[in-house]
Amino acid sequence: QVQLVQSGSELKESGASVKVSCKASGYTFNRYGIYWVRQAPGQGLEWMGWINTHSGNPTYAQGFTGRFVFSLDTSVSTTYLQIFSLLAEDTAFYYCAREDNWFFDSWGQGTLVTVSS
Amino acid sequence: QSALAQPASVSGSPGQSITISCTGTSSDVGNYNRVSWYQQHPGKAPKVIIYETDKRPSGVSNRFSASKSGNTASLTISGLQAEDEADYSCCSYAGDNTFIFGRGTRLTVL
């Protein structure tokens, strides 16, 4: 079955960087885009952007340009989210999700990134 | 690009029906029949319960239904059950491979 498995929780200091992974299984990896969604504590879901797993081309939503980078390694069916120069407001759960015909049919379990100041 | 507007909370008693609204603009909800709804229990990842405005994935109860009129989409849950208590978020395609989520609605089953 389709599965997205994310890396574990991270505790980082302000100014550091973090890399979250999302490993896909159960389907042909490069046939579906992978999207990233942020959920700050007690807040709603926020679309961050996506990466085309066929071309590797990333697209970033407004507010997620500059410090956020999506990448992938097709050899291990894994996409990555890197956040540089972490700020306290980056503290959130980060989810990867597979997009199928304009909705997100499978989600990773989420990765909590905590930034201490 | 602001979030889609949803009520912060709704509540209902077991067996009752509730409706959650999701209001966007003519650039997103009003322009595409590509609204999806997600259920999220505490500490869990979101799960799709409606896609393409009014379609249910296999395995999702037919107590969940949805519709759209103009710039507003709606999710209705009938025959409320305790297990329906969760957060519900709408999401709309907004063109050029971009999406916008709602702020989420907390459903309390009294």
Side-chain angles (χ1 to χ4, degrees):
Chain A
Q1 75 282 18
V2 175
Q3 265 196 312
L4 299 175
V5 178
Q6 297 184 226
S7 48
S9 298
E10 300 270 8
L11 174 60
K12 297 288 185 179
E13 291 191 353
S14 179
S17 63
V18 68
K19 191 172 186 177
V20 177
S21 67
C22 170
K23 182 173 175 61
S25 63
Y27 70 98
T28 302
F29 179 67
N30 63 3
R31 288 190 180 175
Y32 299 84
I34 291 292
Y35 287 65
W36 289 93
V37 177
R38 182 171 76 177
Q39 187 169 37
Q43 302 299 309
L45 302 170
E46 190 174 12
W47 181 73
M48 300 174 63
W50 71 293
I51 187 162
N52 183 318
T53 54
H54 183 70
S55 66
N57 184 50
T59 299
Y60 303 96
Q62 288 180 16
F64 294 98
T65 56
R67 297 189 299 114
F68 299 82
V69 175
F70 307 143
S71 61
L72 60 83
D73 184 343
T74 56
S75 68
V76 290
S77 301
T78 299
T79 56
Y80 302 94
L81 162 66
Q82 274 184 288
I83 310 173
F84 297 94
S85 302
L86 284 163
L87 305 170
E89 51 261 44
D90 292 326
T91 294
F93 275 95
Y94 291 86
Y95 293 97
C96 61
R98 187 182 83 159
E99 184 257 336
D100 182 16
N101 290 328
W102 307 290
F103 71 101
F104 307 111
D105 67 340
S106 294
W107 294 68
Q109 82 275 22
T111 297
L112 176 61
V113 174
T114 303
V115 182
S116 64
S117 55
Chain B
Q1 196 178 26
S2 301
L4 303 175
Q6 295 184 235
S9 63
V10 297
S11 62
S13 300
Q16 288 186 331
S17 295
I18 62 95
T19 296
I20 300 171
S21 61
C22 167
T23 301
T25 70
S26 58
S27 297
D28 39 65
V29 175
N31 198 36
Y32 303 97
N33 281 325
R34 295 168 184 172
V35 176
S36 51
W37 288 88
Y38 301 86
Q39 177 191 62
Q40 187 178 21
H41 287 106
K44 299 294 186 182
K47 169 193 168 187
V48 62
I49 55 173
I50 295 288
Y51 68 98
E52 289 181 16
T53 302
D54 59 5
K55 296 180 173 61
R56 275 190 313 275
S58 61
V60 172
S61 171
N62 59 9
R63 297 185 299 103
F64 295 92
S65 61
S67 62
K68 190 188 82 166
S69 178
N71 297 338
T72 298
S74 299
L75 171 72
T76 297
I77 308 174
S78 58
L80 271 179
Q81 299 180 0
E83 68 211 46
D84 298 332
E85 187 161 291
D87 292 330
Y88 292 85
S89 298
C90 59
C91 179
S92 177
Y93 181 67
D96 293 329
N97 283 308
T98 66
F99 290 81
I100 182 170
F101 280 97
R103 298 193 184 281
T105 299
R106 173 69 52 87
L107 169 62
T108 300
V109 180
L110 302 171

